[in-house]
Amino acid sequence: MEVIHTSRLRLKMATKDDALFIQDLYSSEDFKRFVGDKQLHTKQDAERYIEENILTMYRNHGVCLLVVERLSDSTPIGVCGLIKRDQFDAYDIGYGFLPTCYGCGFGLESSLAIIEYTKKNPQIEELIAITTSDNIASQKLLSRLGFTYVKVESKLSDTIDLLLYRLPLINHETHP
């Protein structure tokens, strides 16, 4: 995927140089709680994850999560991009940010950029998103992006469900 710029952010392909950041982000409590524990205990684990998951997804499907950096100082603050899951026909938008960046609008800004980028691909007519029923911040972001709740995709525990959202891209206008 090409580098995507917004007024404050740069979204770029992950490289091995991003391994320590990926390890830090994916090891944060919220990331493990809402996305899952990817078992990235070392820099080598993160390098392997970048190669076997992020870059392999790009090679196989032409999409992947991108590293989100602040333009002002090139500091990596999160990931945002598209994921192609075998169980879904549509592409899935995904994102995650360091806890220190919550409430700054980076999730909205980077997700809007991904949606606009995706609209240029006429083969992608809709996006989906999944989030857990206890991730209220993610549900609010999806709503702001124009996604609508579709259904409970699966039950994760007695108290937490995996929720499926949908965003048709045909005639869609984003409203930040």
Side-chain angles (χ1 to χ4, degrees), residues 4 25 41 43 61-62 77 79 92 96 100 104 107 109 113 127 129 134 148:
I4 299 171
L25 174 65
H41 303 294
K43 179 181 178 189
H61 300 288
I77 58 170
V79 292
D92 178 5
T100 56
C104 298
E109 188 172 331
L127 293 176
D134 62 335
T148 55

Side-chain angles (χ1 to χ4, degrees), residues 146-163:
F147 282 80
T148 55
Y149 169 78
V150 176
K151 66 178 183 171
V152 171
E153 181 61 27
S154 62
K155 197 154 198 53
L156 299 178
S157 73
D158 289 342
T159 59
I160 300 174
D161 295 325
L162 187 64
L163 308 178

Side-chain angles (χ1 to χ4, degrees), residues 13-144:
M13 292 289 289
T15 68
K16 281 187 172 185
D17 292 339
D18 296 304
L20 289 175
F21 164 71
I22 292 293
Q23 180 189 2
D24 187 37
L25 174 65
Y26 282 52
S27 297
S28 71
E29 286 306 312
D30 282 352
F31 198 95
K32 291 192 291 188
R33 175 180 170 199
F34 295 126
V35 179
D37 188 350
K38 307 300 183 187
Q39 301 292 313
L40 303 185
H41 303 294
T42 66
K43 179 181 178 189
Q44 292 73 26
D45 291 341
E47 288 174 347
R48 189 171 30 263
Y49 186 86
I50 290 168
E51 179 57 39
E52 294 176 2
N53 292 277
I54 296 174
L55 298 178
T56 295
M57 176 151 315
Y58 178 71
R59 286 190 293 272
N60 292 342
H61 300 288
V63 298
C64 64
L65 291 174
L66 302 173
V67 173
V68 179
E69 298 177 333
R70 282 192 307 247
L71 275 177
S72 61
D73 58 7
S74 298
T75 299
I77 58 170
V79 292
C80 185
L82 298 180
I83 302 163
K84 184 63 182 93
R85 300 178 195 273
D86 293 338
Q87 69 265 37
F88 298 117
D89 291 332
Y91 290 86
D92 178 5
I93 192 167
Y95 44 80
F97 290 85
L98 293 171
T100 56
C101 296
Y102 292 174
C104 298
F106 296 135
L108 179 65
E109 188 172 331
S110 59
S111 294
L112 285 171
I114 290 295
I115 292 168
E116 290 305 312
Y117 175 83
T118 304
K119 286 179 173 180
K120 296 174 189 172
N121 184 339
Q123 296 171 329
I124 302 178
E125 296 180 359
E126 73 173 355
L127 293 176
I128 61 166
I130 55 174
T131 191
T132 56
S133 56
D134 62 335
N135 192 341
I136 305 305
S138 184
Q139 292 171 46
K140 286 180 181 178
L141 175 57
L142 292 172
S143 178
R144 285 191 71 190

